[in-house]
Amino acid sequence: MSRFVRSLEEALRKDRHASGQEILSYLDGELSPRQMDWVRRHLVNCWSCRAAAEKVGQTVAGFVEFRLRSLEAVNVEWPPLEPRLRQAPEVRPPKWRSLLLSVGAAGCLALAIVVLPTGSSPVSASTILESARRVERAGTATGSVSYRKLTVLRVDGAHAAQKATFEVWADGRTTKVRHSGAQPLFDEMQAVLAANQRREPPLSAGAFEEWRKNLRQKTESVATSRVAGDDVFLVTTKAEGPLATHRIREDRIAIRRADWRPVAERMAVEGEGRVFEFEAVEQRLVDRAAAFGVEGAPPPPASKTAPVPRALHTGETSPAKPESGLLAEISAHYAVHKTGACLDGAVEVVSRHGEVTVRGVVGTAQEKSELEAELFHLEGVKADLETAGSLASADAGLLPAPGSTGEAVTVQPRPSVWRDSLRDFFTANPEFGPARESEAKFANQAILHTRDLRRHAWALRRLAERFHGEAGPARSGPAQWLLESMLRDHAAALSAEADSLRRLLDPFLAFLEPGNGPAEPPEPSPSSWAEAVSRAFSSQREIETLVHELLGDGTESGPGAAPAQRLRNRLDALRQCARQIAGLSSQEVVP
Amino acid sequence: MSANELDWSSGPASVSQPLLERPLDEAVAELYARLRLPVYGYVFATTGCRHEAEDVTQEVFFRLYLELRRGGRIGNLRSWIFSVAHNLAMSAHSREARQRSAEALQFSGRLGADPEDLLLSAERDRKMAFALKRLSARERQCIELRAEGLRYREIAAVLQVSVPAVQSFLARAIEKLKEDA
């Protein structure tokens, strides 16, 4: 019985009518051979479907005739195309034959990189990219910083090329990017990277590999070529199928054979109605891991060994040698900086007779082990650390962070001439919550921001006192960049904390002294980074005094002193100093 | 020579040899003369605006010229041209739609000059014109591209949809035209 039912069902399934979609696809020849055969045989047997197919044919014919008549009726005076073609912008050299001609703002920067495939490669794309990734990972595994400077061109046939410069610092945990040049290019580059789930700027073998692996359909080729006199592998991956705007259609990356570093990359990106291209070229690379001779980088494929990348294209001096005492000292400072131990002032870096020691007290055993791990990889640096969780002496008199211990906030502002004003403010603004509780929370937050300002200002000052006055040439490239990195981190933190404090205090300051008073005249630009740090430190000290005064925790200067406006002015001055420090270029950091 | 008589199958090399031997601007101008009408028809069907269709048509061939001049390789000329036309038409269409919302009366006034309306005197064409207006934008784009000879996968590439989606759009479009025309 069941066999009969199955055979009946099979017969019914086979005898079903063809759908309209199947008939149309059959007529268009767009079915698989098996489906084509089934529909053809079915139409032979089924009058109903054959009639439907004829009707489809008639409809198609009717539409085509109608369309042709419509087009014939078009009465357009077509403008000639030739005049427009003659006005087209200058032609660029053919793709990848002589590419990457840069048009710098001053018109003086010219990248003449010739990437012409000269032969096929026996090595697969996966092998090449994996080797390049290993080099990238080795460069950041120790937490050291690599620095790269890239030039990126946006090439669009209909428009003049745009150029931007990217500087990338990477230490394995974070990547910092600074750019200059065309802002739209930077924004578009960000959109392209986001659309392709790329977390790294161009010229990253890891990012290329991730993008490539996520493609459903792709075609690939590997060739050998030369870029700027170096032998390279040229890996080209092309995405097949429809792609949305900002997706990368084709990416070609040139990886130098000597050290497995990507040195040029060209992405063809889907745009609105056409494909445009980004060309990225490495201008400069300083890899601190290589400078220290850290092992882990795979050997180059060629017989000649090149442990240090020959990537300093600009002909600058080589990175400092490992035995450089100053570099070791700054590296030790950077390790302290990375773990945050620089903020508490209980850890110091001492350099004597060419030997660097990091000594002091850190809060917990975990912090100690983290810092020791950072210092472990630094040659010529010793660690002498102790733990003392209770030694938060610098913060002993401060209020705990609200909610940080899970306990109710019980801090009461001490009596001051402003206390009544503070209470009046919260009474007049019930949206902040019960006056008493809000008052304490407000005071806590303000003092915490002030404390963080102080920690960063002190950290900056310690760096300035130690390294100001060092002769520029003595500071090697990596040392200089590490120092820059620390300065910028603290400056950014100062700026952010000052912003937060200003936002917190503004309503209360406006309540105290409605309307903005006279702003201070802008100070002249500092002559050195150390001077900017000194100014930032002074501003921070004054801010701290004023905040404590306002909240009843310090010496009162009396209502006539208009502390609200002074506080605003000092916060603005601090933010300006922080911006100046953060905006310093490498040259300016060298005194 | 109509668009369908041209061998599109493998890009510029498939265009007649004498055309390729000419200077690039002349060759593109020749292609423009041959192919502007089908491109215009497609863009007009998408935007519903004669002026936009004219502008977009010329822009398509201008971009083709730039692409060929800079050494770009075009795998499939037919797909490339209609892809660029489609994207430009969609941009123009959104611009046009914004204007339409503000100037609905002006837009309806322009309809009287379009070629479809010129053929309303014939009953069959009138029915077809109205049937076409019932199609969704995608359905209309699919049958326009199919009428230009594009295969399903080429249509899918132009519209950035899947091949089964193209099959479905086409089948629905034909079904609607069958009902009304």
Side-chain angles (χ1 to χ4, degrees):
Chain A
M1 183 67 183
S2 61
R3 184 182 300 170
F4 171 73
V5 170
R6 275 202 300 276
S7 64
L8 187 61
E9 282 175 350
E10 181 73 7
L12 288 172
R13 191 179 61 77
K14 283 183 178 173
D15 282 351
R16 69 175 176 84
H17 289 297
S19 68
Q21 187 170 323
E22 283 171 327
I23 290 172
L24 180 63
S25 299
Y26 167 77
L27 294 175
D28 283 341
E30 294 276 359
L31 292 176
S32 67
R34 191 174 167 187
Q35 289 170 318
M36 289 289 286
D37 189 51
W38 180 82
V39 176
R40 184 183 54 75
R41 283 191 284 109
H42 181 78
L43 290 181
V44 169
N45 295 327
C46 178
W47 277 19
S48 171
C49 288
R50 203 187 312 165
E54 283 169 11
K55 182 70 178 165
V56 168
Q58 286 167 7
T59 307
V60 168
F63 169 69
V64 169
E65 286 168 14
F66 168 81
R67 188 168 177 278
L68 284 176
R69 279 197 298 275
S70 299
L71 290 177
E72 284 165 8
V74 169
N75 184 19
V76 176
E77 286 189 13
W78 292 101
L81 189 64
E82 290 87 340
R84 195 166 172 209
L85 298 186
R86 281 195 289 273
Q87 290 172 358
E90 280 303 304
V91 67
R92 295 188 64 256
K95 194 175 181 179
W96 286 99
R97 289 184 183 271
S98 67
L99 65 87
L100 306 178
L101 291 177
S102 156
V103 276
C108 58
L109 176 65
L111 316 167
I113 297 211
V114 178
V115 183
L116 175 67
T118 54
S120 60
S121 164
V123 189
S124 71
S126 302
T127 308
I128 294 168
L129 291 169
E130 181 53 33
S131 300
R133 283 190 80 164
R134 283 214 308 272
V135 171
E136 279 179 358
R137 281 198 293 264
T140 54
T142 59
S144 59
V145 174
S146 68
Y147 167 86
R148 305 180 94 184
K149 188 173 182 183
L150 316 176
T151 299
V152 177
L153 289 183
R154 184 191 189 281
V155 184
D156 189 335
H159 302 100
Q162 294 177 302
K163 185 176 83 72
T165 303
F166 290 73
E167 289 176 283
V168 184
W169 289 263
D171 68 354
R173 284 189 205 167
T174 54
T175 300
K176 295 180 182 177
V177 179
R178 184 169 66 183
H179 76 283
S180 57
Q183 181 66 31
L185 187 153
F186 180 73
D187 294 340
E188 192 166 32
M189 169 67 79
Q190 294 285 83
V192 168
L193 295 177
N196 293 277
Q197 289 89 43
R198 285 197 172 196
R199 291 188 289 269
E200 299 290 333
L203 283 180
S204 161
F208 186 98
E209 175 71 349
E210 279 179 28
W211 167 78
R212 166 181 170 271
K213 277 186 176 170
N214 288 331
L215 294 177
R216 279 189 195 168
Q217 295 179 342
K218 59 177 179 280
T219 53
E220 282 191 321
S221 64
V222 181
T224 55
S225 183
R226 289 181 72 78
V227 170
D230 291 322
D231 289 331
V232 297
F233 289 113
L234 211 54
V235 179
T236 305
T237 301
K238 184 175 183 184
E240 301 292 344
L243 290 177
T245 302
H246 284 151
R247 294 296 302 273
I248 297 172
R249 167 63 65 189
E250 181 180 303
D251 200 349
R252 181 175 286 198
I253 192 165
I255 294 175
R256 188 164 42 212
R257 297 179 69 168
D259 57 8
W260 297 108
R261 294 279 186 190
V263 291
E265 186 172 7
R266 184 177 183 123
M267 301 174 187
V269 179
E270 292 287 331
E272 295 288 339
R274 64 177 143 193
V275 174
F276 62 92
E277 289 174 333
F278 284 119
E279 297 172 354
V281 186
E282 184 183 88
Q283 292 291 299
R284 190 179 187 192
L285 164 71
V286 174
D287 184 348
R288 187 164 157 267
F292 275 104
V294 172
E295 292 180 1
S303 57
K304 48 184 180 180
T305 53
V308 177
R310 292 186 294 115
L312 300 165
H313 303 310
T314 51
E316 298 191 354
T317 54
S318 298
K321 294 177 182 175
E323 60 268 21
S324 162
L326 185 61
L327 176 56
E329 186 183 349
I330 292 182
S331 301
H333 273 281
Y334 189 71
V336 174
H337 173 81
K338 278 180 75 176
T339 57
C342 62
L343 295 176
D344 293 327
V347 174
E348 62 178 346
V349 179
V350 182
S351 176
R352 278 187 194 149
H353 311 300
E355 189 174 282
V356 179
T357 307
V358 178
R359 67 185 186 192
V361 181
V362 292
T364 63
Q366 188 183 350
E367 288 171 15
K368 179 171 178 269
S369 59
E370 275 181 16
L371 182 51
E372 284 174 341
E374 292 287 342
L375 298 171
F376 177 76
H377 297 284
L378 301 181
E379 210 170 306
V381 178
K382 286 183 179 175
D384 181 11
L385 299 167
E386 292 176 20
T387 60
S390 59
L391 196 71
S393 57
D395 300 338
L398 294 177
L399 306 175
S404 61
T405 59
E407 297 169 2
V409 175
T410 55
V411 176
Q412 300 293 327
R414 291 182 209 161
S416 84
V417 291
W418 303 109
R419 198 188 74 178
D420 293 341
S421 301
L422 191 61
R423 185 152 301 163
D424 290 346
F425 170 71
F426 283 106
T427 308
N429 295 279
E431 66 272 18
F432 289 106
R436 194 177 177 79
E437 196 177 314
S438 303
E439 198 181 333
K441 191 175 169 187
F442 178 85
N444 274 333
Q445 287 180 341
I447 290 174
L448 283 171
H449 285 307
T450 312
R451 184 197 64 170
D452 287 340
L453 280 179
R454 172 154 51 92
R455 298 167 82 194
H456 286 286
W458 266 108
L460 268 177
R461 181 174 165 168
R462 282 190 287 271
L463 288 173
E465 285 177 349
R466 172 63 191 91
F467 296 108
H468 177 59
E470 290 286 345
R475 202 178 291 158
S476 63
Q480 186 179 322
W481 293 311
L482 290 178
L483 188 55
E484 269 188 68
S485 185
M486 288 187 278
L487 294 181
R488 291 205 175 90
D489 285 347
H490 288 304
L494 271 181
S495 183
E497 289 295 337
D499 278 342
S500 302
L501 187 57
R502 178 78 193 255
R503 279 198 300 275
L504 177 72
L505 292 178
D506 261 350
F508 178 52
L509 297 180
F511 179 78
L512 281 178
E513 294 170 11
N516 283 336
E520 291 179 351
E523 293 186 36
S525 296
S527 58
S528 69
W529 69 273
E531 188 183 336
V533 168
S534 174
R535 285 188 197 171
F537 187 78
S538 303
S539 295
Q540 178 277 323
R541 292 295 295 268
E542 199 169 345
I543 288 165
E544 187 169 8
T545 306
L546 288 166
V547 166
H548 284 223
E549 182 182 327
L550 279 174
L551 300 175
D553 196 24
T555 309
E556 294 164 8
S557 58
Q565 186 53 39
R566 270 197 290 145
L567 188 51
R568 287 192 195 105
N569 291 341
R570 285 297 91 203
L571 282 167
D572 290 343
L574 179 59
R575 286 190 295 187
Q576 189 186 358
C577 284
R579 275 197 297 272
Q580 285 166 343
I581 297 167
L584 292 171
S585 69
S586 304
Q587 287 72 29
E588 289 166 316
V589 173
V590 178
Chain B
M1 186 179 196
S2 78
N4 288 330
E5 290 171 311
L6 198 69
D7 178 11
W8 296 79
S9 57
S10 58
S14 61
V15 180
S16 61
Q17 190 63 24
L19 191 62
L20 278 184
E21 289 167 0
R22 291 193 224 169
L24 184 59
D25 53 348
E26 281 184 26
V28 172
E30 175 66 24
L31 277 175
Y32 171 67
R34 291 183 190 182
L35 305 177
R36 63 192 175 199
L37 207 52
V39 174
Y40 171 89
Y42 177 73
V43 178
F44 178 77
T46 300
T47 63
C49 174
R50 188 158 52 92
H51 303 297
E52 288 287 4
E54 288 174 27
D55 292 346
V56 166
T57 302
Q58 196 178 65
E59 180 66 21
V60 168
F61 288 92
F62 179 66
R63 294 189 182 193
L64 173 66
Y65 170 73
L66 295 176
E67 182 68 14
L68 292 174
R69 196 180 63 166
R70 61 184 288 278
R73 283 176 300 179
I74 298 176
N76 184 326
L77 181 62
R78 178 169 51 183
S79 281
W80 192 94
I81 285 182
F82 280 101
S83 292
V84 174
H86 174 76
N87 289 328
L88 289 173
M90 295 309 289
S91 303
H93 185 52
S94 54
R95 268 201 314 274
E96 187 68 15
R98 283 195 295 276
Q99 288 171 4
R100 260 206 309 270
S101 62
E103 306 171 28
L105 287 177
Q106 286 87 331
F107 179 80
S108 59
R110 282 206 302 272
L111 269 179
D114 78 41
E116 290 173 9
D117 292 345
L118 293 175
L119 296 168
L120 284 181
S121 55
E123 178 65 15
R124 196 176 48 181
D125 288 349
R126 190 183 65 78
K127 281 185 178 176
M128 181 61 78
F130 279 112
L132 285 171
K133 290 188 192 305
R134 279 191 58 213
L135 302 187
S136 71
R138 278 280 191 247
E139 290 163 0
R140 180 70 188 267
Q141 288 158 359
C142 280
I143 60 164
E144 290 285 343
L145 291 172
R146 185 70 193 94
E148 276 308 318
L150 270 73
R151 307 299 300 174
Y152 286 9
R153 62 184 163 75
E154 293 170 336
I155 298 173
V158 170
L159 301 181
Q160 300 196 348
V161 296
S162 65
V163 171
V166 171
Q167 284 179 318
S168 176
F169 285 133
L170 280 172
R172 286 210 298 263
I174 294 297
E175 199 61 35
K176 286 180 186 175
L177 294 184
K178 261 193 334 191
E179 288 170 11
D180 294 346

